[in-house]
Amino acid sequence: MEAIDILLVEDNPGDIRLTQEALKESKMRNRLNIVYDGVEAMDFLRRKAPYENSPRPDIILLDLNLPRKDGRTVLEEIKADADLRRIPVVILTTSDDE
């Protein structure tokens, strides 16, 4: 089975570690790429420096609460781009709200 490319957009080290552990325990082969804010996410997806050779992710795990450019804006930009909108996006977020 071919490994899937996953882009994790997350700024919290604890959440990154949890995601890495969960994916390591899963039975699917994957390559996890991590960026830490919304600006980096869009640069990665559009293959701007320093991500010119980045793989096209098969799925994006997107935190909504990000520095520099929040996840809602990233999601809007992905869905507005004819090339990127086909990539499935899973929203991840933590909140104290009920």
Side-chain angles (χ1 to χ4, degrees):
M1 174 164 39
E2 183 81 19
I4 63 167
D5 284 299
I6 301 169
L7 176 60
L8 174 61
V9 187
E10 175 61 70
D11 63 317
N12 182 302
D15 290 341
I16 291 170
R17 197 169 34 260
L18 283 172
T19 302
Q20 289 171 319
E21 289 174 15
L23 290 171
K24 191 183 297 182
E25 291 177 13
S26 76
K27 297 200 184 322
M28 68 178 164
R29 294 183 54 221
N30 63 76
R31 288 181 293 269
L32 182 64
N33 296 281
I34 302 168
V35 295
Y36 302 94
D37 64 50
V39 172
E40 283 184 69
M42 293 313 301
D43 287 349
F44 184 98
L45 291 167
R46 292 184 174 139
R47 295 185 172 130
K48 292 183 179 176
Y51 303 105
E52 298 91 345
N53 298 314
S54 67
R56 177 56 41 119
D58 297 301
I59 190 167
I60 300 167
L61 305 178
L62 177 64
D63 182 20
L64 290 182
N65 301 312
L66 296 168
R68 298 204 304 160
K69 182 183 287 191
D70 79 354
R72 291 163 191 82
T73 304
V74 171
L75 183 61
E76 286 176 19
E77 289 182 24
I78 289 169
K79 294 305 176 185
D81 185 301
D83 187 40
L84 300 177
R85 75 170 55 132
R86 290 176 266 185
I87 303 170
V89 178
V90 175
I91 303 298
L92 306 173
T93 194
T94 56
S95 174
D96 292 332
D97 295 339
E98 285 189 30

